[in-house]
Structures are given as C-alpha cells and as structure tokens.
Amino acid sequence: MVRYFARSWALIKYSLWVLNKDRELLVFPILSLLSAAGIVVISYAGFIPAILLSYVIAEYGSEILGILFVIFYGFSAYIVMTFGIIFFNAALTGAVLIRLEGKNPTLMDGLNVAGRHIGQIFKWAIMMATVGFILHVIHRSGWLGRVLFHILNVGWGLLTFFAIPLLVTRENLGPFDAVRESGNIIKKTFGESVIGDAGVAVCFLLPYLIIGLAMSEVTLMYLGENPWLPTSLILYPLQENYLSETYLFLMLLLLITFVFHSTLFSIFRACLYQFTIDKSANGTAVAYGGDPNMSALFAGSFREK
C-alpha cells in the first residue's frame, strides 16, 4: 500500500511538472467544452424541424417510425457531442505522450495525434454514448436502479481508465479491444489508478466545495431569501449592486477549476500509462524531467501478472 501511495504521489507531482512545462495543454479541455456547447446549441436548433418531420413521418408512414426518428436524432446528437469531448481529450493525451518522449509538443501536435486515430475515436464515442444511455435508463428506474447505476458507473470508469491512451497509441484498435486492453492494464496498476485518481480529485475538492457553497448563497440572494452559510458574510455586501456579476464570476471560477482538474487528470493517466507500457524508458530520466528519482521509483514496476 505504501508503494502505491508513493508512486501515485510521485506521478501527481510529475503531472504538475508537465502542466507547468506545457501550459497550452489547458486549451484542450476548453476546446472540449466549447465543442460540447456548440453541438448542444446546434442540436436544439434542429430539434424543432426534427419534431415537425417526425409528425410528417407519423402522418404518412407510422407513428412508431416518427417516434424512432426523434430518438435517432437525439441519440445521434449525443454521439456527436461525446465524440467532440473524447476527441479533444485524446488530443490532450497525445500531446502529453509526446512530452514523455522528451519532445516539446504544440497544440497542433496533439490535434494531429487525435486526427490520425479519428476513426477509432468515433467508434469509441458510439460505445461510450450507448453505455451512457443504458446507465441513464438504469438510473431512472427507482432507488435500486440508482444504486446499481453508481456501482456500474464506477466499475465502467475503472475498466475504461486507459482507453483514451490506448486509442492514440494503437492502430486499428476497436472499442471492445480497448476495453479489454484497458482492463488488463488496470490489473497491474489498480492501486496507483485508484489512489492517483482520488488524489487528483482531493486537490480540487476544496475549491469545488467553496465555489459550490458560494453559488448556492448567491442563488438564495437572487431569490430574495436569507443565506445562512459562512461565505454569506463576504457575499452579502455584493447583493445590492453586483449579484449578477458575482454569479458570473463564480461560474468562471468553476470553469477554470474544471479545466485544471480535467487537464491534470488526463496528464496523470497518460503518465501512468506510459510508465506501465514503456518498460525500456522506465530506467532513464530523460523523458521524466531529468529526475532520476522518478525512474528509480518506477523501475521494474508493473510486472506482468
């Protein structure tokens, strides 16, 4: 257990070093958010014509076909949105892996890596959207479904932990192969994966908590109710003239925190993946910030089981 914590903490610190060296990596989560927002707007804009067309299909064809058309339209939009998010996540991972080779990646380098594997990424997006839809249906099936949803969601997240790095480093890797290969790597790195993922989350837990509490208090103020949380002592003087501006500022802080969290998590996952599969590089410190302690800590780790 101690060695898991040691390696996880070392990788978190190294991930911060990578982020400091390549701050342009923060652009990828921003592009992911913008793509998702753009697709949602376009999908909603096309939803009314889709509904009208479904009525036409129901009128001159069958009602079932009209309903299926609307479902197909919504699910297709969901797949496209999922693809946009995964594509920029893959680009970020590709850029990090270039850094781990001792090179200096650019924004276009990461996009080129994702672009070379766009077919695999699209197939993976279809699988993720399908699983997400099934989990959503389970979640809406009562309290037992909600319990089952959380169990399955955590299990699926662990099973697919390394899917993105695999998709940008393997050729002709199908979605089912990506799940299987990711599961095999998880067997060797379970301790580091869980502890490291939790460690990255803990780093951002306090900012998320403070921002969430502050936004809830601003919402209460906006509704004309009295806030009762501790941060109201700071926010209450802003109620008269700057309430809307304060809410927008808190939203911006939340987005910035999410961008840093998402970027650091992706860097950590790519670093752990690299240390796991590239055993020949584990004995050198060239690609790891020139820190011999890093290579010494991971040398001989993650033996095949």
Side-chain angles (χ1 to χ4, degrees):
M1 182 62 70
V2 174
R3 70 178 184 273
Y4 293 151
F5 276 102
R7 288 202 288 255
S8 298
W9 179 240
L11 277 176
I12 291 174
K13 290 193 296 183
Y14 182 66
S15 300
L16 288 169
W17 178 86
V18 172
L19 181 57
N20 184 57
K21 292 290 290 183
D22 300 288
R23 298 176 187 176
E24 64 271 17
L25 295 176
L26 293 168
V27 175
F28 291 111
I30 296 174
L31 293 175
S32 179
L33 288 173
L34 290 175
S35 69
I39 293 168
V40 168
V41 171
I42 294 172
S43 299
Y44 270 106
F47 195 74
I48 294 178
I51 291 292
L52 294 176
L53 185 56
S54 71
Y55 278 121
V56 174
I57 295 175
E59 181 71 22
Y60 295 98
S62 69
E63 186 175 346
I64 295 177
L65 286 177
I67 295 173
L68 289 176
F69 175 78
V70 174
I71 294 174
F72 176 77
Y73 175 83
F75 189 64
S76 298
Y78 184 41
I79 290 175
V80 174
M81 183 181 69
T82 304
F83 168 76
I85 295 171
I86 294 175
F87 179 85
F88 290 110
N89 197 335
L92 169 58
T93 301
V96 174
L97 292 175
I98 292 174
R99 163 58 64 183
L100 297 183
E101 295 174 357
K103 302 174 184 177
N104 185 23
T106 64
L107 187 65
M108 286 305 303
D109 289 332
L111 293 174
N112 288 335
V113 171
R116 290 198 299 270
H117 300 86
I118 193 169
Q120 297 174 190
I121 294 172
F122 184 72
K123 293 176 184 177
W124 180 249
I126 295 175
M127 170 173 277
M128 290 297 291
T130 303
V131 172
F133 177 76
I134 294 172
L135 290 176
H136 176 72
V137 171
I138 293 174
H139 184 265
R140 296 179 61 87
S141 58
W143 69 268
L144 185 60
R146 288 192 291 271
V147 173
L148 185 60
F149 163 80
H150 290 296
I151 295 174
L152 293 176
N153 194 42
V154 171
W156 178 250
L158 281 174
L159 187 62
T160 60
F161 191 85
F162 292 104
I164 299 299
L166 283 164
L167 289 172
V168 297
T169 55
R170 304 284 183 89
E171 297 294 336
N172 302 318
L173 187 71
F176 293 101
D177 294 329
V179 173
R180 185 181 66 253
E181 291 294 326
S182 177
N184 291 336
I185 299 176
I186 277 290
K187 292 178 183 178
K188 294 183 286 183
T189 65
F190 182 80
E192 291 83 1
S193 299
V194 173
I195 295 172
D197 188 10
V200 173
V202 166
C203 292
F204 293 91
L205 180 61
L206 184 59
Y208 278 133
L209 180 61
I210 293 174
I211 295 171
L213 291 176
M215 290 182 69
S216 66
E217 292 196 355
V218 171
T219 302
L220 288 175
M221 293 178 187
Y222 188 81
L223 295 175
E225 300 186 18
N226 294 324
W228 55 273
L229 296 172
T231 50
S232 61
L233 296 175
I234 300 174
L235 295 173
Y236 197 77
L238 302 173
Q239 181 177 7
E240 291 297 328
N241 300 313
Y242 304 105
L243 195 58
S244 299
E245 291 81 354
T246 302
Y247 194 84
L248 290 175
F249 176 71
L250 291 172
M251 283 291 295
L252 180 61
L253 282 182
L254 181 63
L255 289 174
I256 292 173
T257 304
F258 170 78
V259 166
F260 274 93
H261 181 193
S262 178
T263 305
L264 190 62
F265 168 75
S266 295
I267 294 173
F268 169 82
R269 180 177 57 188
C271 290
L272 181 56
Y273 173 79
Q274 179 73 2
F275 275 111
T276 305
I277 66 168
D278 194 356
K279 296 178 176 61
S280 62
N282 288 349
T284 68
V286 176
Y288 307 121
D291 184 0
N293 295 323
M294 289 294 294
S295 56
L297 185 63
F298 286 87
S301 301
F302 314 126
R303 296 185 298 274
E304 296 288 344
K305 295 182 179 181

